Amino acid sequence: MASASETSVSSSFPSRAESTSISSSSSSSSPPPLFPGGLKAAMSTSHSSAAPSASSSNSSRRAREGDSAAERQEGRRQRGAAAAEERLVEEDDGMVLPAELSVGHAPEVATLLVSVARHDSQHRRLLHLLTRLQSVPGFYLLLLHLVECQQSCSLLAAIHFRTVVSASWRNRECPGELERQRVRVRLLELVMCQKLKIAEFLGIALSIIIRHDFPRKWPDGLALLVSRVNAAQELGQQHRGLMCLHLSVNALVSKTLAKAYVQRLGPELMDLVTKYWRSSFSHCLNHPKDRAVSHKMSKLCLQMCRNILLYALPMDEKDGPAVSSRESVRLFFSFGELISGAMPSKPTAHQNAQERELTRICRSQLSVFGDTMRQTMQKFRREFAPFLPFVKATIATQLSAAAQAIEVANQPTSDNQEDGDDEYTIPDNLDDFEDLSEKLEERYKKQRKRFAFTVDCLGYLSVCLNEKLLGVEEALQLFAVGQSADHCLQVFFARFLAMTALDHRTLTRHPEYYHLRQNSGHQAGTVGGAAEQFFVSLANAAPKPICAHARNLYSNLWKERGRSSVQQQKGGSSAASGGGAGTGAGGLSALAVNPSDWVLQMDAILRALGLAREELHMEVRFGHWFSTMLVEMLQPVYPGYVILQRRIAWLCGRWRHQLGLAISEPHRSAVYGALLSMMGDTCFLVVRLAAARGLGKQVKLANYSKKELVPHIPTLLSVLFRLIHATVHSDTHVELLLMLQAVFQKHGRQLADHVGALIECVNAMWSANENHQATRHTVLRLLSLVVTSMGSPVVARYCEHLLPVTRVSVDVSSSDSLYLLHDGLDLWLQLLQYTPPKSLPVLMSMFPQLLVVIDHTWDEAIASMDLLQTYIMLGVNASSTSPLASALPAIVSVLNNGMEVLAFDQGRVQVVRTVNVLLQVLPLEAYELLVPFLGYALERILSDEEVTSIVLELHKLFSRFSFTHPTLFIQLLQAKGAAEELLAGLFDTLVEQLDRCRDIYQRKMTALALCAMLARYPVLLPRLASLIGVVTSVAIDVSYVGGLGLSDEDFFEEEGDEHSCYFAQQRRLSTQDFVYRLNLGAFFLECLAETAATLGQSVNEMLQQRVEPALLKQLAALDTSATAATAASSS
C-alpha cells in the first residue's frame, strides 16, 4: 500500500544505518553546543531568582498562618513581586537558540530530559529551557532519534514526544510542513520496533497526528499503518502494531470528515483483526510460554472488533449493515463458538493448574466478546440471530456450573469458613469497623472475581430480553432445562437471588457494614445485583406471567411455614425480650445457627416481589398483605428470623408509594408501629437500620400522611437518638441524620419538646466526627432547619450550644472550612435572623469574624452579603457599643473590593443590595464613604447598553436614593460635573430600560422616582410626554396586583416571628416603604401640580403646551383612578 509520496520522503530522510544529521542542511562538522558552558552554566541565571522565590514561599507560609488581614495582604504583595521577577528571568535567560537542531545536539537534549525528570529544585527552570527548544526546527525529529538510539532516555523521549505532539501539533507554524512529513514517516518506522511501553506513547502520538492530518494532509496515513501491521511477522510487532491501529481508529471514528474513509477500510480492518485474533488465540492455547502476550493481543483484537463493528463498517440507510459488512459481523459472532469450544469441559474443582489457567483465559475472552456482543446486538440483530442457539447453550452451561459453585460456596464447610467466623464480635469503634470492613471487602472481591463471567451471562440475558431476542420462557429454561416455569424460577431464586453464605456471615459479624453494602453502588458486579437486573427485565417483558409465577411460589412456601417453624427455646425468648442487639445470648441464637432453607427461600421470593413492585401495584394491596401475612413472619420462630425481619423492613420502603395512598390508610398505622418496634433496642442492629431506612422513605414521600405517625413521634425520636449512638460509621450517621431532617421538615413545631435532646445528640455527633466532614455538613443543615422551624425560642434557649458549632464551621483558618463554610454561614444567618433581644449582643460580637471570612474568600459571596445585610439592619437598634458604627469604613471597603473581585453578576447584585440596605438604614453616615461607589454605579448605568441583572439592581439603588435623599443625590451629580446633563441622561436611561424590568415593585419605585425628579428639577419638563406614558403603563400593571397586594396591617405578617429582632426591624422598615404606601397616580398628579406652580402656570396650561391630546386622555383616566383610590383610602 505504500505510495509514491512515502518513497520520495523516505529517500530524503536518513536511515538507521546512516549517521548523518537529522536536518538536511546540517554540515559534517559538529554543531555548536546548545549550552555553551554546559547545562549547569545555562541554569546559573536561575540562582539569583531562587532566593526571592524561597523568601516569597516563606512569606506565603507566614501569610497563611497569620490571622490579620494586613499579614495576608503583605503576603499577596510579596508573592506577586516574586512572580513578576521570575517572569523577567524567564524572558531573559541568556540562552541563544540555534537555527536548527541536529544529531550533534542529542547528548545535551538527553541530559536535559533526564534532569527535568528528576523534579528537583531546578525543575521549573529546566522545563522552561526544554519548552523553548520546541520552537526550534528539528526538535521533533531529534526526539525520535533519542527514542531509537539513546537507550538510557528512550522512554523519557517518547513521553515528551507524546506531550509536545498533543500540545503543539495543531499549531501551523511549529513544526514546519517538511518536518511534519518526516515525522510521520519516521514514526511509522519506529512504532513497530520499540518496546511495548515506548510503543504505547508513540502510538498515542501517532493517533493524534492521524486525527489532525487525515485525510487532507496525510490521505494515505491509515492505509500505510494498516499495510505495516499486515506485514508484521513477529508476535511482538503484531501486538504493537495492532495497539497503534486501535488507538488511531478510535481517534478517527469521532471525526466526521474521516469517518467515511474509515468505513471504506472497514472490511479490510475486520479481515486483518480476524486474522490476528485467530493466530494469537491459537498461539495462546498451544504455547504456554508466550500465553501472556498472545492473550493480551487476542483481547485487543476483540476490543478492536467492537469499535469496527460500531463505527467503521459501511451501513445502508434502510437495511442496516451493507452487504460487505454482514459477513464481517457473522465472522465476529463465530468467535464465541471458538472460545467456548476451547474451554476445558471439566468442573473447575477437578482441573489442574494449566487447565484452570486456560479456563480463566477463555472466560476473560468470552467476557470481552460478550461485552462487544451486548453493545452491537441491537445494530446487527439480524446477523446475530443464527448464533442465538450457541449463546443460549453457552449461557445455560455457565449458569449450571455457577449454580453448583454457589451451592458449594454456601455450604458451611471448613473450606468456606475462615478464621474468626465463629467468633461473634460487632465493632464498637471506627478503627475496628475499618479493619473488619477491609477483610470483608477482600472476600467480596474474591467472590466477584470468581463469578464475574456469571454476572456477564446474566447481563447478556437481560439485554436479550430487553431487545426481544429471547422470550421469557426461553430465558427461564436456561436455569432448569425441560422444567416448568415455576420450577425454573424457583431455581433462579434459590441459586442467584438468595442470600449467600458470605452475606449471612457479614450480616452476623458486621451488620452496619452489611447495611451500607445494600446501596445500589455496592451491588454492581455481584451475582445478586445482576440477578436483580435480570428479574426486573423478566418482569418488564412479561409482567403478568412472571408475577403470577412469583406469587404461586410465595403461596406454596407460605403453606409450608408450619413445618419449618421452630419452637422458641430459652435463648430465642431472650432474643425477643432483650438480647437481640447483638450482645446477649438471644442475638447469638438468632444468627449463629444456619438459617433454614425456608427462611432463605422466603427471603429470595420477598426480594423478587419487592423488585416487581410496579408490576404488582394494581394486584397487591401491600397494607392488607402486611397485616395478614408479613407481620406473622416478624415473630422469632424461625432459625435466622433476623433475615426475614430485615427483608420485611426493606419491603416497606419499596412499597412506600402505595402506603401513601388512601387505600392503605387503615393499615398505615400498623406498618409504622411495626417499623418502630423493629427500630427498638431489642432488635438486631441490621434490622434496626433497615427499619429506619424503610420508615425514612415513608416520611420523605410527597404524599406522606402525618396523622398516623404523630402519636409515635416521641418513640421515633427516642429510638433514632439511641440508634445514632449505637452506630460508628459516618455514612450511617449521615443517613440517620437525614431521616431526622425529613421528620423535622414534615412535622415542624410539633417536635418542640424534643429539640433539647436533638441538639444534644447532634452535638455528640459533631464531636465524634471531627475528621468526617460529610457528617458535620449534615449536622449543620439539620440545625439550620431546626432553627428555621422552631424560631426564636430555640435560639433563646440553646444559643450557647449552637454558637460553638457555628464558630468552628466558619473558621477560615481551618482546612475544614472548605467543606463547612457554606452551611456554617447558613446556620449563622438563621441564628441571626431568629435571635431574640437577649441573645443579640452575643451574635453582634461575632461580626468581626464575618469581615475576616469575606476578606479570606469571595466564594460564598451571596451568603456573606446576606449576613452583612442582616447585621446592618440589626446594628441600627443595637446598643451604642455595637461594632457596626466603628466598622463602617471596613464594611464600605469590603463592598468596594467585592465589586472588583467578583466575576459573576449574582454576587455583584448582592453587593449592590447591601449598599442599598446601608443607604436605607444609615444614609448620612454611609454616603461620604460610598461616594466613589455611587459614582461608579452612575457611570455603569449610563454606559451599559445591555440591561443585565446588575444594571437593574443599580437602577433600583438610584431610584430609591434619588427619591429619599434628593439633596445627597444632587450633590453626587454636581461632584461628577455637568449635573443637568447627567440628570437628563439618567432620566432617559431609566425610562428607556424600564420596559425591560419585570419586577412590579421595581417598576413602581422607578416610576415614583421619575415623578419626583420632574417635580424637583424643572429642566426635565421637556420629557413630560414620555413620563406620562411610563406612569400610565406602570399604573395599569400595579392595578392588576392590587397595589402590590399588601396593606400596612398584614405587611410581612406571614414571615418571621414576633420575638425576632431582625423580623421586627424588617417589618418596621417595610411598612415605611414609600413604594407600598404611595399611590402612583395621585403622587404623579401632585408632582404635576408642584411643577406647574414652579412655572407659574396651571396644570392644564402646562399640559396643553407640552402634551399631545392622546396622552391627555390617558392622563384623565389616570386622574379618575387616582381619585377613586384616594376616596377608598380615606373611607
Side-chain angles (χ1 to χ4, degrees):
M1 283 190 186
S3 63
S5 61
E6 181 188 3
T7 307
S8 62
V9 173
S10 300
S11 62
S12 61
F13 189 79
S15 62
R16 299 183 194 177
E18 297 172 346
S19 59
T20 58
S21 168
I22 291 180
S23 171
S24 60
S25 61
S26 61
S27 59
S28 58
S29 59
S30 60
L34 188 60
F35 310 112
L39 187 59
K40 291 184 178 180
M43 292 159 45
S44 62
T45 58
S46 66
H47 295 321
S48 61
S49 64
S53 177
S55 64
S56 67
S57 64
N58 293 332
S59 65
S60 173
R61 190 179 303 110
R62 287 195 303 271
R64 287 194 300 268
E65 294 173 355
D67 293 331
S68 66
E71 289 182 353
R72 287 194 295 274
Q73 185 175 1
E74 178 64 19
R76 287 193 294 268
R77 188 192 64 78
Q78 292 183 6
R79 289 196 299 274
E85 184 176 355
E86 188 173 2
R87 286 195 296 270
L88 291 176
V89 171
E90 288 184 353
E91 291 174 1
D92 185 16
D93 52 16
M95 185 179 73
V96 179
L97 297 178
E100 195 170 8
L101 292 175
S102 64
V103 174
H105 296 115
E108 294 175 282
V109 175
T111 305
L112 183 59
L113 285 172
V114 175
S115 302
V116 169
R118 289 174 183 164
H119 285 274
D120 54 10
S121 59
Q122 299 296 329
H123 171 75
R124 188 170 182 179
R125 175 69 178 173
L126 294 173
L127 187 61
H128 173 64
L129 298 177
L130 189 60
T131 304
R132 291 195 61 191
L133 288 177
Q134 295 178 15
S135 60
V136 181
F139 179 74
Y140 291 80
L141 291 170
L142 180 58
L143 287 178
L144 292 179
H145 173 76
L146 293 176
V147 169
E148 180 183 8
C149 301
Q150 294 285 343
Q151 297 296 326
S152 60
C153 67
S154 57
L155 181 59
L156 291 175
I159 294 173
H160 194 69
F161 180 78
R162 185 275 316 266
T163 303
V164 297
V165 166
S166 176
S168 306
W169 197 261
R170 292 178 178 272
N171 188 358
R172 298 181 180 180
E173 298 179 358
C174 177
E177 189 58 38
L178 181 60
E179 185 177 357
R180 287 174 184 259
Q181 294 179 7
R182 295 179 176 178
V183 166
R184 295 177 196 129
V185 177
R186 198 81 183 98
L187 190 57
L188 282 177
E189 293 178 355
L190 286 178
V191 77
M192 305 280 289
C193 305
Q194 297 299 316
K195 296 179 180 179
L196 181 62
K197 196 64 179 176
I198 298 176
E200 182 179 352
F201 289 104
L202 295 180
I204 295 173
L206 179 61
S207 65
I208 296 172
I209 293 174
I210 284 184
R211 174 169 174 77
H212 185 267
D213 293 351
F214 182 84
R216 291 182 178 175
K217 296 182 179 179
W218 198 13
D220 55 349
L222 188 60
L224 287 173
L225 180 59
V226 172
S227 65
R228 289 182 180 275
V229 175
N230 208 1
Q233 300 296 327
E234 189 214 351
L235 184 65
Q237 286 186 347
Q238 294 172 357
H239 185 201
R240 293 189 291 270
L242 283 172
M243 180 185 63
C244 296
L245 184 59
H246 179 52
L247 293 171
S248 300
V249 171
N250 283 352
L252 288 176
V253 292
S254 60
K255 185 177 180 181
T256 305
L257 185 61
K259 196 170 183 179
Y261 291 86
V262 176
Q263 288 184 352
R264 293 177 190 173
L265 290 174
E268 184 178 355
L269 288 173
M270 194 66 188
D271 293 341
L272 173 67
V273 172
T274 301
K275 180 186 75 172
Y276 280 132
W277 179 83
R278 290 181 181 275
S279 62
S280 60
F281 188 67
S282 176
H283 195 88
C284 178
L285 297 178
N286 300 322
H287 298 82
K289 293 183 179 180
D290 298 333
R291 183 166 286 170
V293 177
S294 55
H295 175 49
K296 290 180 181 179
M297 182 175 169
S298 56
K299 285 185 66 175
L300 179 62
C301 290
L302 292 175
Q303 293 171 357
M304 291 183 67
C305 284
R306 175 176 54 200
N307 291 340
I308 293 171
L309 291 175
L310 289 175
Y311 307 111
L313 288 182
M315 303 287 292
D316 293 338
E317 294 183 0
K318 296 182 179 179
D319 299 331
V323 176
S324 58
S325 306
R326 294 174 186 171
E327 188 59 35
S328 300
V329 177
R330 297 190 185 99
L331 189 63
F332 165 74
F333 285 134
S334 66
F335 291 175
E337 294 180 318
L338 298 177
I339 299 172
S340 182
M343 186 181 296
S345 57
K346 294 181 182 179
T348 308
H350 299 90
Q351 293 176 356
N352 55 33
Q354 187 172 358
E355 289 174 336
R356 283 196 296 270
E357 177 68 14
L358 190 58
T359 301
R360 184 190 65 81
I361 290 175
C362 291
R363 285 182 174 177
S364 177
Q365 297 268 339
L366 277 176
S367 180
V368 180
F369 168 79
D371 186 50
T372 305
M373 179 183 68
R374 184 167 49 188
Q375 295 186 35
T376 58
M377 194 180 296
Q378 183 177 7
K379 187 176 181 180
F380 304 107
R381 54 186 305 162
R382 183 169 56 183
E383 286 70 27
F384 172 75
F387 298 94
L388 189 57
F390 149 72
V391 174
K392 290 166 57 178
T394 303
I395 291 177
T397 303
Q398 176 58 31
L399 291 179
S400 176
Q404 296 176 7
I406 292 173
E407 185 177 3
V408 172
N410 288 338
Q411 291 177 358
T413 61
S414 58
D415 296 335
N416 297 321
Q417 300 285 341
E418 300 192 19
D419 294 337
D421 276 346
D422 294 331
E423 181 185 357
Y424 183 74
T425 56
I426 293 180
D428 56 357
N429 59 71
L430 192 57
D431 293 335
D432 294 343
F433 185 100
E434 298 292 348
D435 293 341
L436 190 53
S437 298
E438 290 179 2
K439 296 177 182 178
L440 291 171
E441 190 60 36
E442 288 298 322
R443 298 192 195 179
Y444 277 105
K445 285 182 179 179
K446 292 180 181 178
Q447 191 181 71
R448 285 197 298 266
K449 187 176 181 180
R450 180 179 181 183
F451 295 103
F453 189 61
T454 304
V455 173
D456 291 336
C457 290
L458 292 172
Y460 306 152
L461 284 180
S462 300
V463 175
C464 290
L465 284 171
N466 295 335
E467 297 297 331
K468 295 181 173 50
L469 294 170
L470 271 181
V472 172
E473 296 294 333
E474 291 179 282
L476 288 177
Q477 285 294 315
L478 298 178
F479 294 91
V481 180
Q483 301 295 326
S484 65
D486 283 353
H487 181 76
C488 294
L489 204 58
Q490 185 177 5
V491 171
F492 168 69
F493 288 161
R495 293 291 177 260
F496 298 96
L497 208 58
M499 177 182 288
T500 64
L502 180 58
D503 288 334
H504 182 253
R505 288 197 297 272
T506 305
L507 182 147
T508 304
R509 297 197 58 215
H510 202 350
E512 188 174 349
Y513 174 76
Y514 180 80
H515 173 78
L516 294 174
R517 277 193 59 85
Q518 300 312 302
N519 294 330
S520 57
H522 290 88
Q523 296 298 318
T526 64
V527 175
E532 285 185 352
Q533 293 180 358
F534 170 70
F535 183 76
V536 171
S537 300
L538 276 177
N540 290 334
K544 290 186 177 180
I546 292 299
C547 292
H549 292 318
R551 293 178 66 182
N552 289 338
L553 290 176
Y554 171 77
S555 300
N556 295 334
L557 198 60
W558 175 255
K559 295 174 183 177
E560 298 176 3
R561 67 188 185 282
R563 304 178 215 164
S564 302
S565 62
V566 179
Q567 293 294 331
Q568 270 191 307
Q569 300 174 354
K570 294 182 180 180
S573 61
S574 62
S577 60
T583 57
L588 185 61
S589 66
L591 288 166
V593 294
N594 295 307
S596 64
D597 291 339
W598 186 89
V599 170
L600 292 178
Q601 292 176 25
M602 180 60 74
D603 176 71
I605 293 177
L606 293 178
R607 184 179 184 181
L609 294 175
L611 294 172
R613 167 184 55 84
E614 295 182 0
E615 288 74 18
L616 292 170
H617 181 76
M618 300 303 295
E619 301 179 20
V620 176
R621 297 293 179 260
F622 181 79
H624 181 266
W625 179 28
F626 180 88
S627 301
T628 56
M629 295 183 180
L630 295 181
V631 71
E632 182 179 334
M633 284 189 281
L634 294 177
Q635 305 304 317
V637 295
Y638 309 101
Y641 64 86
V642 166
I643 298 174
L644 292 180
Q645 289 181 342
R646 193 202 71 83
R647 180 61 63 191
I648 293 172
W650 174 81
L651 272 178
C652 292
R654 288 289 299 177
W655 286 80
R656 61 189 180 277
H657 295 284
Q658 193 184 94
L659 281 172
L661 300 178
I663 57 176
S664 301
E665 185 174 354
H667 309 282
R668 198 179 295 144
S669 181
V671 174
Y672 290 165
L675 289 173
L676 286 170
S677 177
M678 286 189 283
M679 289 173 61
D681 299 339
T682 59
C683 292
F684 193 65
L685 182 59
V686 73
V687 178
R688 299 172 67 189
L689 291 172
R693 178 177 289 178
L695 187 58
K697 291 180 178 180
Q698 301 284 340
V699 175
K700 294 175 184 177
L701 279 177
N703 59 344
Y704 162 69
S705 178
K706 301 179 183 179
K707 61 181 181 180
E708 288 83 7
L709 192 61
V710 168
H712 303 288
I713 286 295
T715 305
L716 170 62
L717 295 180
S718 176
V719 296
L720 260 181
F721 295 153
R722 293 198 299 271
L723 186 55
I724 290 174
H725 289 296
T727 54
V728 296
H729 198 269
S730 60
D731 290 346
T732 315
H733 292 160
V734 169
E735 181 180 355
L736 296 175
L737 289 173
L738 288 176
M739 181 182 174
L740 266 177
Q741 182 175 331
V743 172
F744 267 86
Q745 283 177 340
K746 301 292 185 178
H747 291 271
R749 295 184 181 271
Q750 295 176 348
L751 309 177
D753 296 336
H754 308 278
V755 172
L758 169 70
I759 292 179
E760 181 182 355
C761 176
V762 296
N763 278 338
M765 288 298 99
W766 179 272
S767 303
N769 290 272
E770 185 176 357
N771 299 321
H772 298 86
Q773 306 311 323
T775 306
R776 290 193 159 191
H777 160 78
T778 311
V779 167
L780 289 172
R781 296 184 64 183
L782 177 57
L783 290 177
S784 298
L785 177 64
V786 171
V787 173
T788 307
S789 303
M790 303 301 171
S792 298
V794 170
V795 181
R797 188 172 181 180
Y798 302 104
C799 186
E800 67 276 5
H801 300 286
L802 299 174
L803 281 181
V805 174
T806 307
R807 287 194 176 98
V808 171
S809 60
V810 299
D811 183 10
V812 293
S813 63
S814 172
S815 59
D816 297 340
S817 64
L818 178 66
Y819 310 98
L820 304 178
L821 183 59
H822 177 79
D823 297 290
L825 290 174
D826 185 53
L827 176 59
W828 190 357
L829 180 62
Q830 301 303 327
L831 288 175
L832 196 60
Q833 289 184 349
Y834 288 93
T835 183
K838 71 173 186 178
S839 303
L840 183 59
V842 180
L843 287 166
M844 292 300 294
S845 65
M846 290 182 62
F847 177 71
Q849 189 172 358
L850 175 60
L851 296 180
V852 174
V853 171
I854 298 175
D855 181 69
H856 182 270
T857 178
W858 282 96
D859 293 340
E860 300 294 338
I862 297 176
S864 300
M865 288 298 104
D866 285 339
L867 263 171
L868 188 55
Q869 293 169 25
T870 307
Y871 267 112
I872 291 172
M873 294 180 65
L874 291 175
V876 178
N877 291 337
S879 62
S880 58
T881 59
S882 171
L884 182 64
S886 59
L888 194 58
I891 294 174
V892 176
S893 176
V894 163
L895 296 175
N896 289 327
N897 189 30
M899 293 300 291
E900 296 177 2
V901 172
L902 291 173
F904 59 101
D905 277 355
Q906 194 173 5
R908 293 186 175 187
V909 165
Q910 285 297 102
V911 172
V912 176
R913 288 176 181 171
T914 308
V915 173
N916 201 349
V917 173
L918 193 59
L919 287 173
Q920 185 178 0
V921 298
L922 294 172
L924 300 179
E925 297 85 346
Y927 171 73
E928 295 296 334
L929 297 173
L930 287 173
V931 167
F933 183 94
L934 295 173
Y936 156 78
L938 183 60
E939 294 176 358
R940 180 75 182 269
I941 291 176
L942 297 176
S943 61
D944 282 14
E945 297 181 358
E946 182 181 0
V947 182
T948 59
S949 58
I950 179 68
V951 173
L952 289 176
E953 199 64 34
L954 290 173
H955 288 175
K956 184 177 180 180
L957 169 66
F958 268 96
S959 299
R960 177 180 292 277
F961 181 62
S962 64
F963 185 88
T964 55
H965 302 90
T967 305
L968 298 179
F969 176 65
I970 197 62
Q971 288 181 9
L972 177 65
L973 296 181
Q974 291 173 353
K976 299 293 293 183
E980 293 184 358
E981 295 180 6
L982 289 176
L983 182 62
L986 180 61
F987 188 95
D988 294 339
T989 302
L990 292 177
V991 170
E992 178 184 354
Q993 297 178 351
L994 184 65
D995 290 338
R996 305 179 188 179
C997 179
R998 299 180 180 179
D999 185 4
I1000 302 299
Y1001 177 93
Q1002 186 170 343
R1003 285 171 61 82
K1004 182 180 177 182
M1005 182 170 57
T1006 305
L1008 289 171
L1010 291 174
C1011 295
M1013 287 183 188
L1014 178 67
R1016 292 165 183 160
Y1017 313 114
V1019 69
L1020 300 175
L1021 194 58
R1023 294 164 173 78
L1024 177 59
S1026 62
L1027 181 58
I1028 292 175
V1030 167
V1031 171
T1032 52
S1033 64
V1034 174
I1036 293 173
D1037 294 340
V1038 172
S1039 65
Y1040 285 149
V1041 294
L1044 295 182
L1046 292 173
S1047 63
D1048 293 347
E1049 291 77 14
D1050 61 1
F1051 193 85
F1052 280 107
E1053 184 179 356
E1054 73 283 354
E1055 186 173 353
D1057 58 33
E1058 56 184 2
H1059 302 292
S1060 168
C1061 298
Y1062 169 76
F1063 288 109
Q1065 173 72 351
Q1066 189 182 57
R1067 282 191 294 270
R1068 186 183 68 82
L1069 294 174
S1070 300
T1071 51
Q1072 297 173 359
D1073 196 340
F1074 65 89
V1075 180
Y1076 285 94
R1077 300 183 66 85
L1078 292 178
N1079 180 274
L1080 178 59
F1083 181 74
F1084 178 58
L1085 295 177
E1086 292 177 8
C1087 292
L1088 286 181
E1090 184 178 348
T1091 306
T1094 304
L1095 297 176
Q1097 298 177 344
S1098 66
V1099 175
N1100 291 332
E1101 291 175 353
M1102 182 182 67
L1103 292 176
Q1104 290 175 359
Q1105 292 177 4
R1106 302 176 182 275
V1107 180
E1108 297 178 358
L1111 289 177
L1112 289 176
K1113 294 182 180 179
Q1114 296 182 10
L1115 191 59
L1118 184 64
D1119 188 10
T1120 304
S1121 62
T1123 304
T1126 304
S1129 177
S1130 61
S1131 64

